[in-house]
Amino acid sequence: MTNRLTTLTAATALAFSLATGAAFAQEAFSDWDADGNAGINQEEFNTGFGEGGVYDSWDADGDGALTEDEFNAGVYGGYDRDDSGVIEEPEYGDVGDDLGDGGFFDV
């Protein structure tokens, strides 16, 4: 469960950073980390994800729950910065940077 939460938190922060810029994402992470322990727990995640507007923007049907398709579209949209429907260079480079050694998802 902790691993899934960590991955979900990382994916959300990543999408947030791609959509709004790296400096803003770092600030958002700090804002979400209410207790300042350099980690985001479930309560902090729920608060930050909702207050940041990310949840509402990803909840396409507005039913208050993210389906897997809505979540995937939100993360994908974070990489597809030009909204072309295709992740192209240099967008694909961002994916590689985040998944590679030392990247955002290097756990």
Side-chain angles (χ1 to χ4, degrees):
M1 177 65 175
T2 301
N3 231 2
R4 280 181 43 192
L5 178 59
T6 301
T7 302
L8 181 61
T9 301
T12 302
L14 170 65
F16 209 41
S17 71
L18 293 172
T20 60
F24 184 78
Q26 183 62 38
E27 184 178 315
F29 185 90
S30 298
D31 290 346
W32 287 23
D33 183 18
D35 61 10
N37 70 348
I40 297 176
N41 64 33
Q42 182 73 50
E43 184 178 331
E44 291 167 332
F45 176 81
N46 293 342
T47 300
F49 195 62
E51 288 178 0
V54 176
Y55 190 92
D56 290 336
S57 70
W58 288 9
D59 185 16
D61 60 9
D63 69 352
L66 291 181
T67 64
E68 185 173 350
D69 288 341
E70 289 170 331
F71 178 81
N72 291 339
V75 172
Y76 187 89
Y79 285 108
D80 184 20
R81 287 177 277 148
D82 63 1
D83 294 321
S84 67
V86 176
I87 295 177
E88 306 150 321
E89 281 293 339
E91 296 165 334
Y92 187 76
D94 294 337
V95 176
D97 291 345
D98 293 332
L99 295 176
D101 287 344
F104 195 75
F105 292 109
D106 184 19
V107 196

